[in-house]
Amino acid sequence: MMKLTTQSKEIIGNFPLGFVATVTPGGRPAVSPKGTFLVLDDATIAFGEIRSPGTVANLAINPECEVNFVDPFLRKGVRIRGEAQMLRQGTDGFDALIGRWRETWGDLADRINIIVKIPVAEAKPLTAPPYDDGATEAEMIALYKAKYAGIYP
């Protein structure tokens, strides 16, 4: 089991949209965004499944998955790999955790059918190529603030 860095936990906390990569029964890659991620502890992340029948079906056959999180302004993130554990509504495991989603997302938590826990087997940092050329975090933030302001004035 691997521990998450402080920066990784901050990225997930600030930008809880994780892109979950699974494998279909036919062996094809499948990626699906999940917007209800929480950091449960230093070595576990989880999302609340609301309408993800394909992801759930894929994980039931092969629980190995990877999740990517990216701060769109810093252009830094983390790749997390692990084996998913599905806690279905009405089980003790689900009941013990659902309150954390209620605290964060209120009534949306009532739509959660399964809590998908992912113990962190591996976590790797992600950075954009401009950092290789000496870009600073302040420069990246300024660049993407301006870019997003142009898209969403």
Side-chain angles (χ1 to χ4, degrees), residues 118-139:
I118 304 169
V120 179
E122 186 175 24
K124 294 181 180 179
L126 298 172
T127 59
Y131 286 108
D132 298 340
D133 301 327
T136 66
E137 287 184 350
E139 290 168 336

Side-chain angles (χ1 to χ4, degrees), residues 25-104:
R28 298 185 61 119
V31 176
S32 184
K34 309 296 175 212
T36 58
F37 268 96
L38 292 176
V39 175
L40 297 183
D41 57 43
D42 287 345
T44 313
I45 61 173
F47 68 90
E49 186 280 321
I50 295 174
R51 54 176 189 192
S52 304
T55 301
V56 168
N58 293 346
L59 291 173
I61 293 169
N62 180 357
E64 187 76 23
C65 63
E66 183 170 294
V67 187
N68 288 0
F69 299 92
V70 176
D71 178 322
F73 293 95
L74 280 180
R75 306 302 270 203
K76 288 185 175 183
V78 62
R79 292 173 53 179
I80 297 172
R81 185 183 59 76
E83 286 196 18
Q85 303 165 355
M86 291 188 276
L87 307 173
R88 296 188 182 277
Q89 192 175 48
T91 64
D92 291 342
F94 181 97
D95 293 343
L97 291 173
I98 192 63
R100 297 195 52 186
W101 275 264
R102 285 194 179 101
E103 289 172 14
T104 304

